[in-house]
Amino acid sequence: MKRNISLDCDPGHDDAVAILLAGKNPNINLLGISVVAGNQTIQKTARNALNVATYLGINVPICIGCEFPMVRERVICAAIHGESGLDGFDFPNYGDRFDKRHGVQLIIDTVMNNDKVTIVATGPLTNVAMAIKMEPKILDKLDEIIIMGGSVDNGNTSPAAEFNIMCDPEAAHVVFSSGVTVRMVGLNVTRKVIVTDEVVNRMEKINNKASDMFVKLMKVFNENQRKTFGVAAGPLHDPATIASIIDSDLIKWQKMNVVIDISHGPSYGRTNCDVFDYLRAPHNAYVAMDIDVNKYWDIIEQGIRSY
Ligand code: BDR
Ligand code: CA
């Protein structure tokens, strides 16, 4: 059966691939895309989402969401995603075909007007948390929330925090303490799916419009990863959320207690994952513990081939 999906994202190179993967899969019914500030300002991430979806012929409502986090000051990530937020591929000018609703409203409408919607969030959790606060009825209506964010181990923005959670820890706190089933796909698994030259060459051979976008984006993404982290190639984080829906055996999950550090100290934004159940606290999240790397690239290849 097709899964109803409401995608919230901040494109972003890996978000662009998440859109690609969700747009044409027979198991996924993509109902709408809400955009949040994160990898770049909201004006840029919104434009990027519209460009990617239009280029790929994905015809769903795209709504501009929150410009700023709930409490902290805004953080962006130009070092990895560039000035545009999606450096590396030139899109035509697609005009202004945004759905005029606010991104938060789109999430609410999508969940309330459809059966069993899964919210997939690949950016900071501001829009999702605001939707929960604005219309708490969505909590009883929705299926689950799958996020790319956090980590069982080290962060990528501070020793403790992963970027998406770091951008809006208070929003993450709202989501993780909402009572809804949360699935957390964090750095401890996404760091295993590296877009090596071999992966880029493999996708280049597909030779269609989606592979052209993928390859050009990944070349710049990897170059920026090299400059920033000194690694040969970067992890393709965000599509792992969508891929986990496409193949339910892709990721190994462990249910546990996860608490977001909102203390504004050195671990601000950390996802404290109680892997060994020290606290005997309620298990509020399924945490991704492992991923089948070969399967992942097969899913990405199939996704690109479907265009
Ligand atoms: C996350 O941060 C962003 O830069 C990526 O798009 C991904 O969602 C990884 O920490
Ligand atoms: Ca993202």
Side-chain angles (χ1 to χ4, degrees), residues 8-16 36 38-39 81 121-124 148 162-164 237-238:
D8 189 79
C9 58
D10 65 331
H13 291 71
D14 49 340
D15 301 82
V36 67
N39 286 322
H81 300 276
T122 61
M148 190 284 133
E162 179 279 331
F163 178 77
N164 288 338
H237 310 281
D238 291 340

Side-chain angles (χ1 to χ4, degrees), residues 138-301:
I138 65 170
L139 294 174
D140 294 327
K141 257 291 228 151
L142 63 79
D143 186 12
E144 53 185 21
I145 301 176
I146 307 178
I147 69 150
M148 190 284 133
S151 183
V152 169
D153 39 57
N154 278 11
N156 59 356
T157 309
S158 78
E162 179 279 331
F163 178 77
N164 288 338
I165 306 293
M166 172 68 135
C167 281
D168 198 342
E170 285 76 12
H173 168 75
V174 168
V175 171
F176 277 79
S177 57
S178 67
V180 155
T181 303
V182 175
R183 288 186 186 270
M184 176 187 128
V185 183
L187 297 175
N188 54 297
V189 295
T190 63
R191 279 180 173 138
K192 296 180 183 179
V193 286
I194 304 297
V195 204
T196 58
D197 287 348
E198 199 188 336
V199 169
V200 175
N201 294 338
R202 172 177 169 184
M203 304 308 163
E204 193 163 25
K205 291 204 184 93
I206 299 170
N207 195 21
N208 66 10
K209 68 189 306 197
S211 69
D212 189 33
M213 182 187 84
F214 179 89
V215 168
K216 287 181 176 141
L217 288 178
M218 289 305 118
K219 285 188 172 164
V220 170
F221 181 66
N222 277 341
E223 188 50 37
N224 291 342
Q225 293 276 349
R226 262 177 227 129
K227 286 186 205 145
T228 309
F229 294 112
V231 292
L236 195 62
H237 310 281
D238 291 340
T241 52
I242 301 288
S244 76
I245 296 173
I246 294 173
D247 185 333
S248 56
D249 292 331
L250 177 74
I251 284 179
K252 284 206 168 54
W253 306 96
Q254 185 183 329
K255 203 172 185 200
M256 65 184 78
N257 180 258
V258 179
V259 170
I260 311 299
D261 188 322
I262 48 170
S263 66
H264 292 246
S267 297
Y268 186 38
R270 176 173 174 78
T271 46
N272 273 300
C273 299
D274 193 0
V275 177
F276 299 108
D277 208 16
Y278 294 118
L279 303 175
R280 303 264 179 242
H283 290 187
N284 58 331
Y286 289 88
V287 175
M289 299 300 281
D290 206 359
I291 185 165
D292 184 330
V293 176
N294 290 332
K295 231 181 212 182
Y296 184 66
W297 296 121
D298 288 347
I299 292 169
I300 299 287
E301 179 176 343

